[in-house]
Amino acid sequence: MTTTCEILPHSTETKLSPDCLDAVRDVMVDSLRATSLAPIIDEVSYAITGGKMLRARLAFAVGSAGDVPRDALLRAGAAVEMVHAASLLHDDVIDGA
């Protein structure tokens, strides 16, 4: 799915169009579909793509300040969110939760 995402300038801070976080979620799901998780991704994607996505927002804010291309921002936002989700899952496994 292709989502339109534009970075909206707003005084000294960067605002994201609502579609940007949807685009990050799309990149996450598409990336995971290319792995051995493909058969179950539709059933578990809600657990990975939910939340406020603060890390993706931070990646957009930092990247936008440096004129990083939109596609690179989407991939960076997806990457930090997936690493965060993996660390939470790993922690749960180690804790036996």
Side-chain angles (χ1 to χ4, degrees), residues 32-46:
L32 293 171
R33 279 199 176 109
T35 71
S36 60
L37 297 173
I40 63 165
I41 195 61
D42 289 330
E43 298 169 21
V44 299
S45 65
Y46 71 91

Side-chain angles (χ1 to χ4, degrees), residues 3-87:
T3 308
T4 303
C5 167
E6 64 182 297
I7 301 161
L8 307 172
H10 184 269
S11 65
T12 58
E13 63 185 67
T14 300
K15 285 200 166 232
L16 300 177
S17 72
D19 292 336
C20 288
L21 295 180
D22 288 339
V24 170
R25 288 179 181 99
D26 290 345
V27 170
M28 292 170 65
V29 170
D30 290 346
S31 296
L32 293 171
R33 279 199 176 109
T35 71
S36 60
L37 297 173
I40 63 165
I41 195 61
D42 289 330
E43 298 169 21
V44 299
S45 65
Y46 71 91
I48 298 167
T49 61
K52 297 178 287 270
M53 300 188 71
L54 296 176
R55 288 147 204 87
R57 291 173 192 264
L58 179 61
F60 267 89
V62 171
S64 297
D67 292 327
V68 175
R70 183 188 73 84
D71 288 341
L73 292 176
L74 292 175
R75 289 191 311 273
V80 296
E81 288 295 336
M82 288 191 291
V83 168
H84 174 65
S87 70

